Amino acid sequence: MSDATETIFSKIIRKEIPAEIVYEDNLAIAFKDIAPQAPVHILVIPKQPIAQLSDAESKDHALMGHLLLTAKRVADQAGLSNGYRLVINNGLDGGQTVNHLHLHILGGRPLSWPPG
Ligand code: AMP
């Protein structure tokens, strides 16, 4: 299992470095991506340090559902009524660069398919 105990996102959760936080509850936090790839680019992460989706287990069932519903809520809050995309990059081939599970919410412009 990859180590997600300490990443840049841990520091954001602990408010040790600045981030534009748009939503927070006891399980999850959402903040604007520092290098946005679309007019709206927000990351939703669990406070629990799961390194990547492939490390999630059956016991994380409720948390995984919570993250998805949180993404929906945050997308609604951001006014993405015309649609949006959720992306989870998993591992090296998935292009994951931060080893703390995160959902990208991308929207505010038409998005092409397939991605890279
Ligand atoms: P990924 O490539 O899927 O691992 O995505 C990591 C994302 O985290 C990238 O889109 C980065 O721009 C974003 N990111 C990295 N550091 C920060 C930070 N301090 N605040 C906000 N977003 C960040």
Side-chain angles (χ1 to χ4, degrees):
M1 185 182 292
S2 325
D3 181 14
T5 51
E6 187 57 38
T7 66
I8 192 92
F9 291 174
S10 318
K11 292 186 169 65
I12 289 175
I13 292 167
R14 296 196 302 264
K15 317 275 169 58
E16 289 173 6
I17 60 167
E20 276 194 73
I21 295 168
V22 297
Y23 176 82
E24 181 170 11
D25 62 28
N26 58 330
L27 296 175
I29 187 165
F31 52 91
K32 293 187 181 176
D33 197 291
I34 204 168
Q37 301 302 310
V40 175
H41 188 174
I42 296 169
L43 302 176
V44 178
I45 71 172
K47 289 187 171 175
Q48 183 185 323
I50 297 171
Q52 56 187 47
L53 183 62
S54 52
D55 289 336
E57 300 171 4
S58 300
K59 67 176 171 53
D60 303 315
H61 175 101
L63 177 61
M64 294 301 112
H66 181 73
L67 292 176
L68 206 50
L69 289 172
T70 298
K72 186 197 85 161
R73 176 181 184 147
V74 169
D76 287 349
Q77 184 183 294
L80 297 177
S81 56
N82 220 28
Y84 52 89
R85 183 173 294 165
L86 300 183
V87 173
I88 298 176
N89 295 326
N90 185 82
L92 273 182
D93 278 3
Q96 184 174 2
T97 59
V98 178
N99 288 330
H100 185 126
L101 174 62
H102 49 282
L103 286 72
H104 296 256
I105 303 171
L106 294 154
R109 66 168 170 82
L111 298 163
S112 61
W113 188 264

